[in-house]
Amino acid sequence: MYLFSIYVDVITHDVAIATVAFDESLTNFKKEKIDIAGTMSWTAIKRNGKWLFIHGHSFQEF
């Protein structure tokens, strides 16, 4: 099991960005294992007292 830290940057009182590094193994339909690593980020806004994720993005490192 891997443990990763999620970093949250509060931009304003109602906007935040969360980022986390990832490292995972996937298996395609041919049963071939694929190892990938990268970074994921999410943008969230606070509306009516609830945080809503409005955008997500991932980047695979080469």
Side-chain angles (χ1 to χ4, degrees), residues 4-7 19-23 38-40 61:
F4 295 102
S5 295
I6 296 176
Y7 299 95
T19 57
V20 64
F22 68 89
D23 184 8
T39 304
M40 292 185 284
E61 297 170 3

Side-chain angles (χ1 to χ4, degrees), residues 10-42:
V10 178
I11 308 303
T12 67
H13 73 281
D14 61 353
V15 176
I17 298 173
T19 57
V20 64
F22 68 89
D23 184 8
E24 62 186 7
S25 295
L26 306 171
T27 303
N28 66 16
F29 65 94
K30 294 180 182 179
K31 306 295 184 195
E32 299 167 330
K33 184 179 171 185
I34 302 167
D35 294 322
I36 61 171
T39 304
M40 292 185 284
S41 64
W42 303 272

Side-chain angles (χ1 to χ4, degrees), residues 46-52:
K46 191 173 186 180
R47 290 289 185 258
N48 299 321
K50 295 182 181 181
W51 284 99
L52 306 171

